[in-house]
Amino acid sequence: SQQGEEDPQALSIQEGENATMNCSYKTSINNLQWYRQNSGRGLVHLILIRSNEREKHSGRLRVTLDTSKKSSSLLITASRAADTASYFCATDGGYTGNQFYFGTGTSLTVIP
Amino acid sequence: KAGVTQTPRYLIKTRGQQVTLSCSPISGHRSVSWYQQTPGQGLQFLFEYFSETQRNKGNFPGRFSGRQFSNSRSEMNVSTLELGDSALYLCASSPAVAGTGELFFGEGSRLTVL
């Protein structure tokens, strides 16, 4: 399976704290993306980082990528209750086309 | 712009039946892909269509099939349903030809097989 893994599986923090989740993947990639999913609904794209990039920022999100370790991390700063969701990393497995391999997800709970 | 629309949102079938799910992508998006999400296996890639051609296929049995029409709308079909096919089926469209852009997901079709 080309599915990646994320850790922790679940994370519970207080509002205002930072949340960090990690993703490890198995193959070479062209890019890695992070998505958010609110309970049982569709996924929403958060950020894309290309294989030749090491860090990327978008608002309160910071993503790092280490292709030598085949790992990425997502940092959400100053978390809010509305950030409560599951977060998934997705890689293209080095393929062309729009097929992506999703990690197992981190369930984040932000306590008001 | 309207988002990705999936129908039906919920459905219940019995073992052995077949089901067809529909997906209307965002206007202008020619790539449509399908994913199965279950608690045990997570999100798994089913297949991707681009300009009416299946471009990529995941590791699923032949009971899972799909197609794309000239207006980019897509359908997926599951025949001879099994209990393990119970899942949330997600459709995603993309404006990108290759995997260089984001996926826009619909709300999913939740299939329960009894």
Side-chain angles (χ1 to χ4, degrees):
Chain A
S1 168
Q2 295 188 347
Q3 194 172 33
E5 286 186 12
E6 293 174 62
D7 87 280
Q9 284 189 321
L11 179 61
S12 184
I13 59 174
Q14 297 287 330
E15 203 165 32
E17 293 181 335
N18 295 341
T20 299
M21 48 205 89
N22 304 294
C23 163
S24 60
Y25 55 91
K26 298 178 182 178
T27 67
S28 62
I29 62 171
N30 296 310
N31 67 65
L32 182 145
Q33 304 186 40
W34 285 88
Y35 287 83
R36 182 188 76 222
Q37 184 180 36
N38 289 86
S39 181
R41 305 193 66 179
L43 283 76
V44 175
H45 180 265
L46 295 175
I47 195 167
L48 179 152
I49 186 167
R50 303 193 190 284
S51 60
N52 61 354
E53 297 175 312
R54 291 295 168 258
E55 187 171 313
K56 202 160 182 181
H57 297 254
S58 176
R60 295 184 294 114
L61 305 179
R62 173 179 166 252
V63 169
T64 61
L65 178 64
D66 186 336
T67 53
S68 66
K69 295 181 180 177
K70 292 187 170 56
S71 68
S72 173
S73 68
L74 171 67
L75 168 68
I76 304 174
T77 60
S79 62
R80 306 165 182 168
D83 295 328
T84 294
S86 292
Y87 292 81
F88 297 87
C89 65
T91 60
D92 59 18
Y95 295 106
T96 57
N98 289 315
Q99 64 181 79
F100 291 91
Y101 299 94
F102 283 81
T104 49
T106 292
S107 177
L108 172 66
T109 301
V110 181
I111 303 165
Chain B
K1 243 180 191 180
V4 177
T5 304
Q6 290 189 245
T7 56
R9 291 289 314 280
Y10 302 90
L11 64 167
I12 299 173
K13 294 284 186 178
T14 56
R15 278 180 297 175
Q17 287 187 312
Q18 75 165 15
V19 66
T20 299
L21 308 177
S22 179
C23 172
S24 293
I26 292 172
S27 178
H29 289 191
R30 290 191 291 163
S31 169
V32 174
S33 50
W34 289 88
Y35 291 83
Q36 181 196 65
Q37 185 176 29
T38 60
Q41 299 296 318
L43 274 152
Q44 293 192 289
F45 171 76
L46 279 158
F47 27 66
E48 185 222 356
Y49 288 87
F50 184 85
S51 292
E52 302 179 66
T53 301
Q54 186 181 86
R55 200 159 59 162
N56 297 293
K57 190 176 192 305
N59 189 25
F60 279 82
R63 300 185 297 107
F64 292 81
S65 63
R67 59 178 175 169
Q68 187 181 33
F69 302 95
S70 59
N71 61 358
S72 293
R73 190 177 70 85
S74 177
E75 288 181 347
M76 68 162 282
N77 183 275
V78 188
S79 63
T80 319
L81 284 166
E82 301 177 358
L83 295 178
D85 297 333
S86 293
L88 180 66
Y89 289 89
L90 292 161
C91 168
S93 72
S94 176
V97 173
T100 55
E102 65 183 276
L103 298 177
F104 294 81
F105 282 85
E107 293 293 328
S109 292
R110 184 167 294 282
L111 170 66
T112 302
V113 182
L114 303 176

